[in-house]
Amino acid sequence: MTYADFNTGWSYRRKVTPFQELGGTAAAPWTPVTLPHDALITTERRPDAPDGHTNGYFTGGAFEYRKTFTVPEEDRGKLLFLEFDGVYRDAVVSVNGAFAGRHAFGYSRFLVRIDPHLRFGADNPDNEVRVSCRTHLDSRWYTGCGIHRDVRLIVKSPARIAVDGVRVTTPDVDEELAVAEVAVRVENAGAMTSTLRLTAVVTDDEGVEVAQGRAPVTLLPADAETARLRLLIDRPRLWSAETPTRYTVRVQLGDGDQVVDEVSVPFGIRTVRVDARRGLRVNGTAVKLRGACLHGDNGPLGAAAIGRAEERKIELLKAAGFNAIRSSHHPASSALLDACDRLGMYVMDEAFDMWTQGKNDFDYSADFPEWWERDLEAMVAKDFNHPSVIFYSIGNEIPETGAPDGARWSRRLAEKLRALDGTRLVTNGINGFVSVLDLVLDGMAKRRAAAQEAGASDTGQDAGGGVNGMMNAFGEMMGHIVSSPMVGERTEESFAALDVAGLNYGESRYALDAGLFPDRVIVGTETWPTVIDRNWALVEKHPHVIGDFTWSGIDYLGETGIGVVKYADAAGAAQGFSTAYPGLSAYCGDLDLTGHRRPVSYYREIVFGLRTEPYIAVRRPERHGMPVAVATPWAWTDSVSSWSWPGFEGAPVHVEVYADADEIELLLDGESVGRAPVGGERALRADFELLYRPGELVAVAYRAGAETGRTSLTSATDDLRLTAAADRDVLYAGTRDLAFVEITLTDHAGVVHTALDRDVRVTVSGAGVLQGLGSGAPVTEETFGSDVRRTFDGRALAVVRPTGPGTITVEMVAEGCAAVRLRLTVAEARGPLPGFPSPADTTTDLEIPA
């Protein structure tokens, strides 16, 4: 009855089969690594990588991991499992050379039984487990490759609580009393009938016992039963994003005086209701979802879902005003859901990006017909006790949703989830444009054929501005198609299978569907960041529209440059959605790859009504007056919050001020340089054209003639300093903690030099390693495995991982700056790390010598 962290003692390499070695291919050396780990993130990026713009120009490949370990003799006769929270992709697990299990999907938690293949006792110290995996043209974004989530070793007695066998529901909740129903799956792999005693104790977040119950359970040989206990909790404290209070149930299975198994499960007490008249209610209170779509990577760490990195993402998004996330487009890691539970963040956990129709040459669509049920079962098993999860999403932009067969699949997936878990809402991120893509493509083909017949050249351009004009108007064009009767008719059956209709870029249907489908509840599962002002007004106006999820909350690797403002080159050549090599990230997040908030984040905070003071953003003066070739609906203005532009004295500069006000006045060194109304070019924004000169720029907001707030930017002085700050001084040994060190170029007063970027070298010594080093730059040839990185807008980020108790020294040097040193303490971790409870049913750590 032990659950052990199994993340240490691994090595990895590019996979080479014995037949390849026989043919002369040299095997790469094994490199020690601690899990979670992304094998792809430090590999070479190449301009000739197939479909490189989709994955950041990483070339993919096959990798393998191995670990040797000893199993005590006393575990002979017990059941041993390896639990993988996620391996990307096509994982094959072998133990001592024998096949033990496989899993096709790269984001599902899966269990592999290993005891039939083990050798027990101190005389057999070299049991070996190997895991192979691969990635190649199988995704529309950067996925990484490897054992990118946590691994646990689970040891169970023949009479046991099943893995993921404790499920807590709260079917009856009011202010005075909550009924907590604890369903426990009990199994008996022994040869004798056993009558066991089940005991459950519930404690609050301070460890005080609030309820308990017990019941006998009789099991025949090779039998499995579900026992239920209904426990009463007086005056329950309810979980919500604002008050994320949790309880813990500790379940013991006893045989006489002996405890044969024990599991502890955190859970929350809350109610979720939704309808088209009253919208979404959590614990009876109306909630509008201020949502962010998230891909799975962690910037400089790649796809590695290390506990502290997952927690930091939620901290940053919550501080930026979000109260909900959508895991796009795959199930979230257990570590991310733990963080959402603890910090308070509603979650839409999404299952798939494709069903039977592929979007890439080698994606999951070929596996979907065989694996979809098991992957939904795995998602529910992982999610069930997480109060943060209020939605399951069965897909994202699935082309089949516009056809009858796709509607049948919609019902099959939705009903499977309801059978597994009837406590969550089911949705699907349906893009009406994609649902009728067959008709759109057919129309385009006919149009090209007609143009060729008429003698026109087939350039793929439209008369109104060519391909770039088409791209810049893409959002408007999609809105027209999505609101068409054709889309309404073809998607009606797929939407009817859902509790909540998820609309990707479908705001043109919000008001329309209120009349056509008066019982339909809508959530904007994916929306353009550039229209958040209009979208949020619709969300607030219509009770049947319960929220907005922007694409995206944090910048991510791959889909390069869809949010980059692209300027015409000297020849005025056309450019597409994506940036060519060395494009790295999408650059459409409210936060950049390092977690630094971009101007759009502050604009959104004002739209949400969460920020009262104005915010100043300045478009880069070196690009002033340059014609924009492409600015997609994902692209915010090319601006930064800075008044430090050396070399541009006297040059024109465009200033944006965001505010919920009537008018903005700009003051430069106390002198008024202009007033402008808010809402001229864009709602909640005032625009100014100035000539740059250093000093203090102040924006004063007015409503009805009275000042409502002010903010300022100050130019950096000539001195240049390297500064660094870690998000924590004390770390804990183990595999889940990290320190994020923000590196900044400033003057003596701490003003950031956004225009004086430098290469920074980072050296880590002592009880830690440099796990990753990066910046927010969306286009760069730099690699995350290097110890040198150039700052972007004056900033970079180093990620440090502890290797054991002791002291870590982090030294940073840059040209023209004094070196900076930070000292971090790594404390001994005993049990779960502070703030990092282990995944859902962890109890006692198992110590197995490596």
Side-chain angles (χ1 to χ4, degrees), residues 482-625:
V482 167
S483 62
S484 68
M486 169 183 64
V487 168
E489 293 168 6
R490 288 190 51 168
T491 59
E492 182 178 4
E493 188 176 358
S494 289
F495 278 127
L498 308 172
D499 301 315
V500 176
L503 267 64
N504 284 17
Y505 310 107
E507 64 273 11
S508 59
R509 294 206 67 92
Y510 290 1
L512 180 66
D513 282 1
L516 294 176
F517 308 101
D519 296 327
R520 179 178 289 179
V521 181
I522 289 175
V523 62
T525 36
E526 193 168 314
T527 64
W528 315 111
T530 48
V531 295
I532 180 57
D533 54 324
R534 300 203 310 262
N535 280 1
W536 194 248
L538 292 172
V539 171
E540 291 188 312
K541 178 180 179 180
H542 296 290
H544 72 289
V545 182
I546 63 174
D548 177 280
F549 287 77
T550 188
W551 192 266
S552 63
I554 302 178
D555 194 18
Y556 57 94
L557 302 173
E559 292 191 310
T560 62
I562 65 170
V564 172
V565 176
K566 303 174 186 69
Y567 297 88
D569 63 15
Q575 303 177 49
F577 272 17
S578 299
T579 43
Y581 182 83
L584 176 64
S585 71
Y587 205 58
C588 59
D590 276 29
L591 283 63
D592 71 16
L593 277 182
T594 69
H596 177 69
R597 291 180 68 180
R598 299 174 60 208
V600 61
S601 173
Y602 295 92
Y603 180 84
R604 185 183 308 278
E605 193 176 14
I606 291 170
V607 170
F608 286 157
L610 302 176
R611 178 186 175 92
T612 55
E613 71 177 55
Y615 182 84
I616 305 173
V618 181
R619 297 184 190 176
R620 301 172 193 273
E622 66 267 27
R623 294 168 183 165
H624 189 275

Side-chain angles (χ1 to χ4, degrees), residues 224-441:
E225 299 285 352
T226 297
R228 297 181 186 271
L229 299 171
R230 288 174 64 86
L231 309 180
L232 304 183
I233 300 173
D234 290 317
R235 304 203 64 81
R237 299 169 61 192
L238 305 186
W239 187 97
S240 69
E242 294 71 34
T243 58
T245 302
R246 291 191 299 169
Y247 294 82
T248 299
V249 59
R250 183 173 184 174
V251 180
Q252 288 186 340
L253 188 65
D255 186 359
D257 294 333
Q258 180 185 7
V259 176
V260 298
D261 204 353
E262 179 180 310
V263 174
S264 292
V265 176
F267 69 96
I269 301 174
R270 52 121 177 91
T271 63
V272 177
R273 303 286 186 272
V274 69
D275 61 61
R277 294 183 184 178
R278 294 171 293 178
L280 176 68
R281 282 114 45 224
V282 178
N283 303 325
T285 300
V287 172
K288 294 289 189 178
L289 299 172
R290 306 186 301 272
C293 295
L294 286 184
H295 268 319
D297 72 73
N298 279 303
L301 302 176
I306 301 169
R308 172 57 190 154
E310 300 287 75
E311 179 186 61
R312 178 176 180 264
K313 282 196 296 196
I314 303 307
E315 288 177 347
L316 294 173
L317 290 170
K318 196 171 176 74
F322 292 103
N323 67 358
I325 63 165
R326 173 190 180 212
S327 66
S328 314
H329 307 289
H330 47 71
S333 71
S334 296
L336 187 73
L337 296 184
D338 285 341
C340 292
D341 291 345
R342 294 193 309 273
L343 299 174
M345 184 71 79
Y346 299 116
V347 176
M348 179 186 295
D349 207 4
E350 194 153 270
F352 307 118
D353 186 48
M354 71 290 294
W355 295 348
T356 60
Q357 293 186 23
K359 298 179 179 179
N360 297 84
D361 291 344
F362 302 100
D363 64 22
Y364 176 76
S365 60
D367 299 304
F368 176 83
E370 177 185 356
W371 283 90
W372 70 272
E373 287 189 276
R374 281 172 285 181
D375 285 322
L376 289 185
E377 289 165 356
M379 184 171 75
V380 171
K382 170 179 60 65
D383 289 6
F384 196 93
N385 294 310
H386 288 285
S388 57
V389 179
I390 62 173
F391 290 96
Y392 294 126
S393 171
I394 58 177
N396 169 69
E397 298 187 343
I398 305 297
E400 296 97 307
T401 53
D405 188 61
R408 290 179 60 249
W409 274 110
S410 296
R411 288 197 303 275
R412 292 177 70 185
L413 271 69
E415 290 306 317
K416 176 68 176 182
L417 284 173
R418 293 182 180 115
L420 294 168
D421 180 359
T423 69
R424 263 84 180 195
L425 303 170
V426 178
T427 188
N428 187 1
I430 295 178
N431 185 328
F433 176 82
V434 174
S435 299
V436 297
L437 195 56
D438 56 334
L439 299 181
V440 173
L441 296 175

Side-chain angles (χ1 to χ4, degrees), residues 35 37-40 63 65 86-89 106 131 133-135 143-149 303:
L35 306 180
H37 176 256
D38 179 1
L40 196 63
F63 298 87
Y65 292 74
V87 180
Y88 200 90
R89 178 182 178 268
V131 181
C133 51
R134 60 188 176 182
T135 182
T143 62
C145 189
I147 309 177
H148 63 108
R149 295 179 177 176

Side-chain angles (χ1 to χ4, degrees), residues 778-802:
V779 180
T780 178
E781 292 190 273
E782 299 166 297
T783 67
F784 292 116
S786 173
D787 62 354
V788 177
R789 191 78 174 197
R790 191 163 187 82
T791 58
F792 177 71
D793 289 340
R795 296 178 172 87
L797 181 74
V799 187
V800 177
R801 192 173 195 179

